[in-house]
Amino acid sequence: FLVVHNPRTDNLDRLDEFFAMIEDKASDAQVIVVTTRAEETILGEETVDDLWHKHPNIVDIVAVDSKSALGIDYLKSMLIAAALNKDKLPHTITEVPINF
């Protein structure tokens, strides 16, 4: 799952709501948290530590900014790595025989 959070306008209760929905549907799902507007504001260290503690299924927390492209390349690499990880996401890759 990818959870996108705008730290400027969204409160952390909304993040908890998203995690509750994920827990209800796919309790062992891995989650990447993306915070937007990284050039304007970032989550504080205490908040990040609290998120890691409350939600152990977080794979990473990535700060991005669409204006400056800060963090975009790292986010892309995280998404590609997650999609190609057969052990964690077995249904994202289908091997097809050469003579298919």
Side-chain angles (χ1 to χ4, degrees):
F1 283 86
L2 185 71
V3 175
V4 180
H5 173 70
N6 180 347
R8 191 177 75 166
T9 59
D10 293 341
N11 64 36
L12 293 176
D13 292 337
R14 286 206 60 196
L15 274 180
D16 288 335
E17 290 174 17
F18 284 118
F19 276 100
M21 286 188 284
I22 293 169
E23 178 70 26
D24 185 47
K25 301 296 181 197
S27 61
D28 60 345
Q30 293 188 337
V31 179
I32 298 172
V33 176
V34 179
T35 63
T36 61
R37 302 181 181 271
E39 295 284 351
E40 296 175 28
T41 184
I42 58 171
L43 295 178
E45 187 176 330
E46 186 176 311
T47 302
V48 170
D49 289 343
D50 186 46
L51 284 172
W52 285 108
H53 180 72
K54 284 168 59 174
H55 309 290
N57 55 334
I58 293 176
V59 174
D60 205 349
I61 299 174
V62 182
V64 299
D65 195 293
S66 59
K67 285 185 182 177
S68 67
L70 175 72
I72 298 294
D73 287 337
Y74 180 70
L75 176 60
K76 285 180 185 178
S77 68
M78 285 292 303
L79 293 173
I80 291 168
L84 294 177
N85 188 338
K86 275 197 215 181
D87 296 330
K88 300 294 182 181
L89 298 171
H91 302 294
T92 60
I93 297 174
T94 303
E95 294 183 19
V96 178
I98 292 173
N99 60 358
F100 179 68

